[in-house]
Amino acid sequence: MDRYRVIEKFAKENNWKQGLELGVWVGVTTFWLMKNTTLKMTCVDSWEVQDDNPEYDWQYNKKPVFKNGELVKLEEFKHEGQVWNHNANEKRFRKDAQQWSDRITTIKGRSLEVVGQIPDDSVDFVFHDSDHSYPFVKNEIEAYWPKLRSGGYAIGDDYNWSTVSKSVKEVFGKNYNVTGKGVWYAIKN
């Protein structure tokens, strides 16, 4: 099950009202949730090149791309319009988000720099899908954990990435689960 379907399922089972997505790209997950739940979302993305991030070049320019389970050549991926054009992606997200302006709040910035804009104990879940490098993932999980209400879920995808799984294991020990297509989650008591 894809990440957005996993989050939808949890949202409905737990009667969630407020979510937070870190790293929205063009809004695939957010817009799925808008169409299939009654959630209100806060969406955080920097939509910027990060020359100071040693993992950025690999994540955005060299990481293998798969489509329907098959490896896609980077040139073909770019040809399909999936290139990491941050300005275009931000513009597309903001345009598409307008129809849900009463349910979507957008914050532009790097997640660890805007964490203070999110009140503690204010969201039912945080979906971590921004920078996938280590120790960034670990630091982001720890920084946003206080934002969750009691019983809230920290959720992320790409558990198959060693940087993600290492971070999740270091933060939660054995107190987390993996479901669907590499979706990890931990519940705040």
Side-chain angles (χ1 to χ4, degrees), residues 7 10-11 14-18 38-39 124-125 151 153 155:
I7 298 170
F10 288 155
N14 295 291
N15 197 31
W16 287 345
K17 304 290 183 217
Q18 182 67 50
T38 59
L39 283 165
D124 296 305
F125 73 93
Y153 286 46
I155 306 170

Side-chain angles (χ1 to χ4, degrees), residues 68-137:
N68 300 323
E70 298 291 324
L71 184 63
V72 177
K73 292 180 181 175
L74 188 57
E75 297 76 30
E76 181 181 331
F77 186 65
K78 288 180 179 180
H79 178 71
E80 292 181 6
Q82 302 296 325
V83 67
W84 295 105
N85 179 331
H86 296 297
N87 290 333
N89 292 339
E90 178 183 7
K91 194 178 281 187
R92 178 177 164 190
F93 173 80
R94 289 184 184 275
K95 179 181 177 286
D96 293 346
Q98 288 176 353
Q99 64 184 305
W100 293 291
S101 61
D102 60 327
R103 293 174 51 206
I104 296 176
T105 301
T106 305
I107 299 174
K108 182 173 181 171
R110 294 184 187 188
S111 64
L112 292 178
E113 294 173 0
V114 302
V115 67
Q117 295 181 42
I118 310 297
D120 287 352
D121 302 310
S122 66
V123 297
D124 296 305
F125 73 93
V126 176
F127 177 54
H128 298 270
D129 197 23
S130 62
D131 184 334
H132 283 38
S133 65
Y134 178 88
F136 187 91
V137 176

